[in-house]
């Protein structure tokens, strides 16, 4: 065991201990964030008035189930499997609602239905995951070769919007081609990834959040700052989606350009992470107000760890070491292993603008736990 593995192995028992009671307490909820008393909310609560893309269609709804599958793969604890299945069944209701479902069906169904099918061979899950993959493939615009991100947003014409986060959603398409032998899904994923490599990654390795294309001609119109500080800035979670997402695309396809893209973004991230290993919400945010994002930190750490598997010696060590510094700092200063809060990772920010700061987000926990498993030597690949 190297020092990284040893460290991750020493933290995981606290995670498992906490998740034992958190999972049982919240087994009938699909959580996103915690309230002031530390209790999880419930996006599956139908008594609340949700908008089309919130409630059961909320994009993070696959992550609590994903945590269950990570823990089940390690411990074979049947309670985790049972809770993962409760999550998956509830989440399936989103197809009836349909309006409001968008490209994030990848984030929703890779860590739930795909994970279930991969781990247990559950035939119902395969069907659900293929349905989600078909919805995602249907969002591809062949003029411009991009997958449309969101549906209509009042006040904006989003027909030509693609966003960096989709580099994770396309894992669903790679899976669908592997599973069915039909290359259409993978072709769409690769054409989208090629577009992102050209239109999103800047010369210095930083990445845009949103690129707007003309939906009729496919021509690039402009980029938007999205969840980052402003147009031309560098939303850190988006840097993580790119770094980790291109590495996944490389693993699925062997296309060297994707590995090069991942390394380019990784080098940019490295040059912006200082000794403290604190990850801001945007690498180019102003001094005031400045916000931290522990969730982006965990996504970037996971990306470094995944990438370290496909590069040689010194580069791999450098990436692993940066992941270690980031995760150690989260574990020591931002993780809550007590019973006071249902979530583990604190200090997350949803976006630079708006009031979603210093909060918990279920995918912060997901990517923290996933990264710890990767560092501890687990070979399980979710994406
Ligand atoms: N929109 C995805 C995220 O918040 O990272």
């Amino acid at each position: 065991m190297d020092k990284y593995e040893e460290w991750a192995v020493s933290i995981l028992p606290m995670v498992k201990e906490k998740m034992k009671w958190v999972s049982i307490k919240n087994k009938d909820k699909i959580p996103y964030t915690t309230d002031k008393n530390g209790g999880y909310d419930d996006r599956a609560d139908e008594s609340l008035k949700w908008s089309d893309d919130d409630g059961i269609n909320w994009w993070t709804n696959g992550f609590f189930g994903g945590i269950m599958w990570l823990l089940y793969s390690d411990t074979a604890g049947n309670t985790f499997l049972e809770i993962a299945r409760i999550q998956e069944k509830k989440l399936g209701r989103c197809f009836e609602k349909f309006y409001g479902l968008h490209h994030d069906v990848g984030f929703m169904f890779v860590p739930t239905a795909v994970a279930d099918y991969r781990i247990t061979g559950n035939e119902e899950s395969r069907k659900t995951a293929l349905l989600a993959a078909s919805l995602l493939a249907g969002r591809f615009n062949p003029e411009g070769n991009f997958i449309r991100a969101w549906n209509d947003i009042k006040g904006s014409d989003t027909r030509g919007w693609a966003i960096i986060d989709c580099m994770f959603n396309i894992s669903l398409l790679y899976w669908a081609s592997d599973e069915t032998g039909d290359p259409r899904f993978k072709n769409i994923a690769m054409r989208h990834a090629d577009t992102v490599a050209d239109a999103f990654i800047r010369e210095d390795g930083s990445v845009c959040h949103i690129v707007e294309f003309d939906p009729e001609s496919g021509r690039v119109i402009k980029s938007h700052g999205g969840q980052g500080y402003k147009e031309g800035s560098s939303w850190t979670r988006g840097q993580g989606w790119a770094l980790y997402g291109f590495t996944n695309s490389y693993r699925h396809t062997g296309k060297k350009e994707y590995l090069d893209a991942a390394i380019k973004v990784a080098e940019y991230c490295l040059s912006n992470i200082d000794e403290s290993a604190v990850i801001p919400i945007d690498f180019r945010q102003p001094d005031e107000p400045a916000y931290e994002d522990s969730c982006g930190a965990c996504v970037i750490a996971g990306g470094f760890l995944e990438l370290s598997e496909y590069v040689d010696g010194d580069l791999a060590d450098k990436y692993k070491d940066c992941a270690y510094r980031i995760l150690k700092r989260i574990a020591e200063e931002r993780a809550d292993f007590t019973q006071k809060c249902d979530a583990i990772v604190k200090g997350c920010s949803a976006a630079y603008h708006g009031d979603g700061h210093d909060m918990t987000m279920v995918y912060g926990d997901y990517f923290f736990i996933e990264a710890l498993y990767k560092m501890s030597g687990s070979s399980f690949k979710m994406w």
Side-chain angles (χ1 to χ4, degrees):
M1 262 197 222
D2 63 19
K3 79 165 181 182
Y4 307 120
E5 211 170 319
E6 239 171 60
W7 176 78
V9 166
S10 77
I11 303 296
L12 276 167
M14 289 189 282
V15 169
K16 288 185 240 181
E17 207 41 47
K18 174 148 184 172
M19 288 316 299
K20 253 192 233 162
W21 65 263
V22 169
S23 57
I24 292 167
K25 178 179 170 204
N26 294 286
K27 70 180 172 43
D28 294 315
K29 292 182 175 177
I30 300 191
Y32 167 57
T33 188
T34 48
D35 61 21
K36 61 180 188 335
N37 300 317
Y40 263 137
D41 64 352
D42 181 15
R43 298 279 148 159
D45 182 347
E46 286 179 349
S47 70
L48 302 175
K49 295 261 168 279
W50 301 107
S51 61
D52 276 348
D53 61 357
D54 207 337
I56 202 64
N57 285 1
W58 181 238
W59 77 276
T60 67
N61 283 354
F63 288 110
F64 197 71
I67 294 172
M68 297 302 107
W69 287 117
L70 290 176
L71 292 163
Y72 176 72
S73 307
D74 173 31
T75 64
N78 274 333
T79 310
F80 293 128
L81 179 138
E82 282 156 22
I83 298 171
R85 289 258 167 87
I86 297 174
Q87 297 278 310
E88 195 179 330
K89 187 152 186 260
K90 280 185 187 242
L91 191 54
R93 293 206 305 260
C94 72
F95 295 114
E96 289 159 36
K97 203 171 161 194
F98 182 67
Y99 294 128
L101 275 185
H102 50 67
H103 74 151
D104 285 333
V105 287
F107 275 121
M108 293 161 80
F109 288 100
V110 170
T112 52
V114 174
D116 190 347
Y117 178 66
R118 276 195 180 125
I119 295 167
T120 73
N122 184 0
E123 194 51 41
E124 275 305 303
S125 304
R126 180 181 189 272
K127 205 194 312 175
T128 303
L130 286 176
L131 175 55
S134 304
L135 284 178
L136 183 57
R139 301 185 72 83
F140 182 67
N141 186 332
E143 297 297 335
N145 290 311
F146 66 90
I147 293 173
R148 178 177 176 179
W150 302 305
N151 300 334
D152 297 337
I153 298 176
K154 218 169 173 202
S156 305
D157 179 358
T158 56
R159 292 173 303 155
W161 285 21
I163 72 172
I164 194 63
D165 324 32
C166 195
M167 287 304 297
F168 260 66
N169 289 325
I170 61 176
S171 288
L172 180 62
L173 300 178
Y174 291 127
W175 169 81
S177 273
D178 288 347
E179 185 53 33
T180 61
D182 184 334
R184 289 175 303 157
F185 300 102
K186 182 175 173 183
N187 288 342
I188 288 174
M190 291 181 76
R191 284 167 70 172
H192 177 81
D194 292 344
T195 302
V196 173
D198 284 349
F200 283 65
I201 304 182
R202 307 185 186 108
E203 209 37 57
D204 64 358
S206 68
V207 177
C208 314
H209 183 192
I210 301 170
V211 173
E212 179 175 354
F213 300 85
D214 180 328
E216 307 285 353
S217 70
R219 174 182 65 83
V220 172
I221 297 177
K222 60 179 286 205
S223 67
H224 298 260
Q227 286 164 261
Y229 170 52
K230 64 175 188 180
E231 187 184 350
S233 74
S234 170
W235 175 49
T236 43
R237 207 152 62 244
Q239 317 307 294
W241 298 139
L243 154 59
Y244 195 164
F246 273 106
T247 309
N248 291 334
S249 273
Y250 174 67
R251 175 165 53 81
H252 287 292
T253 65
K255 186 165 172 171
K256 167 112 179 11
E257 284 80 354
Y258 298 155
L259 183 63
D260 295 341
I263 292 173
K264 190 170 175 176
V265 179
E267 292 298 316
Y268 167 80
C269 290
L270 265 182
S271 66
N272 281 279
I273 297 171
D274 64 20
E275 271 311 300
S276 72
V278 174
I279 303 296
I281 181 67
D282 191 315
F283 282 129
R284 293 178 185 157
Q285 68 179 347
D287 292 341
E288 283 293 328
Y291 306 107
E292 175 181 351
D293 182 24
S294 309
C295 177
C298 296
V299 176
I300 289 176
F304 276 133
L305 290 173
E306 186 67 27
L307 183 55
S308 72
E309 294 184 29
Y310 311 102
V311 294
D312 298 329
D314 288 352
L315 210 49
D317 290 344
K318 197 167 71 163
Y319 294 156
K320 260 172 121 167
D321 196 65
C322 190
Y324 169 68
R325 290 193 296 113
I326 293 172
L327 294 171
K328 192 161 182 296
R329 195 248 161 199
I330 296 286
E332 288 171 358
E333 294 181 35
R334 289 291 175 268
D336 181 338
F337 293 111
T338 72
Q339 302 231 351
K340 287 192 198 133
C341 182
D342 290 355
I344 296 176
V345 177
K346 297 190 157 172
C348 303
S349 278
Y352 181 85
H353 300 283
D355 52 10
H357 301 293
D358 200 10
M359 62 188 288
T360 67
M361 302 195 304
V362 67
Y363 57 124
D365 278 27
Y366 173 86
F367 282 101
F368 179 60
I369 297 170
E370 191 203 74
L372 287 174
Y373 273 120
K374 265 188 208 299
M375 193 168 258
S376 74
S378 160
S379 56
F380 181 74
K381 301 283 181 202
M382 184 68 86
W383 307 99

